[in-house]
Amino acid sequence: GQNIDQPTEMTATEGAIVQINCTYQTSGFNGLFWYQQHAGEAPTFLSYNVLDGLEEKGRFSSFLSRSKGYSYLLLKELQMKDSASYLCAVMDSNYQLIWGAGTKLIIKP
Amino acid sequence: DADVTQTPRNRITKTGKRIMLECSQTKGHDRMYWYRQDPGLGLQLIYYSFDVKDINKGEISDGYSVSRQAQAKFSLSLESAIPNQTALYFCATAGQGEAGELFFGEGSRLTVL
């Protein structure tokens, strides 16, 4: 079966750095996506990786290793507004998105 | 105004009632999706449509039906609602060639008593 694993919850301190991991087993791979979802709101697109390596976008970076079935989202200079759930999703061989359950990130002052 | 609009935002209904959730978009996207979100679970795809004449079942389509009335409108129906359909429902759109970058509506919270 297809599976996306990410930690259920993480806590970090304002101003610090946090890394949210995602491992996947899917039938085929056509890209990995990270979304941010604030409580009670819709998910919003953060990043896309299809080749191995690091993609940087401001305070957020996303890394992919296809051979290891692994990705991480790195958030730097954490701000209180970064408190949200972070969803990892993989596009399979049928171009369907398979979603992880999300990681709830709690930022403490 | 939001690019992807869902109505109603909240609905409480009783078992056996018919419910329709509506979605409209101004992004000009051909691809539209209906997902449900339950606590502790990933988003689950109910139905998707790549154009007005194309409707496809997702992983959890049983108990649901959809209608793509126009490029901009995609409705989800629960013909006879049951309590385990209590969930948060999201409509989403995507442009051609950008199937992984979804634009979500604000969500419709449905409670079936």
Side-chain angles (χ1 to χ4, degrees), chain B residues 21-106:
Chain B
L21 306 179
E22 299 187 346
C23 176
S24 63
Q25 52 114 347
T26 58
K27 298 193 73 66
H29 287 164
D30 288 324
R31 300 176 182 220
M32 297 189 73
Y33 305 80
W34 275 104
Y35 284 95
R36 67 176 278 175
Q37 188 174 43
D38 297 276
L41 296 179
L43 287 163
Q44 294 176 280
L45 183 62
I46 307 172
Y47 271 96
Y48 62 102
S49 169
F50 286 169
D51 67 40
V52 174
K53 297 181 180 179
D54 176 75
I55 302 289
N56 303 282
K57 292 183 177 181
E59 56 191 302
I60 57 160
S61 58
D62 287 349
Y64 302 93
S65 63
V66 291
S67 172
R68 183 82 183 264
Q69 302 95 322
Q71 187 212 33
K73 296 184 182 295
F74 193 37
S75 300
L76 176 71
S77 293
L78 289 69
E79 296 300 326
S80 180
I82 56 177
N84 76 0
Q85 291 177 314
T86 293
L88 182 59
Y89 291 85
F90 284 105
C91 173
T93 74
Q96 200 125 10
E98 299 170 344
E101 184 176 348
L102 301 180
F103 295 85
F104 286 84
E106 295 164 309

Side-chain angles (χ1 to χ4, degrees), chain A residues 33 35 37 41-43 45 87 91 96-97 99-101, chain B residues 35 37 40 42-43 45 48 90 99-102 104-105:
Chain A
F33 301 81
Y35 281 75
Q37 185 178 22
E41 298 184 8
F45 170 80
L87 314 181
M91 184 166 286
Q96 295 300 326
L97 280 175
W99 295 84
Chain B
Y35 284 95
Q37 188 174 43
L43 287 163
L45 183 62
Y48 62 102
F90 284 105
E101 184 176 348
L102 301 180
F104 286 84

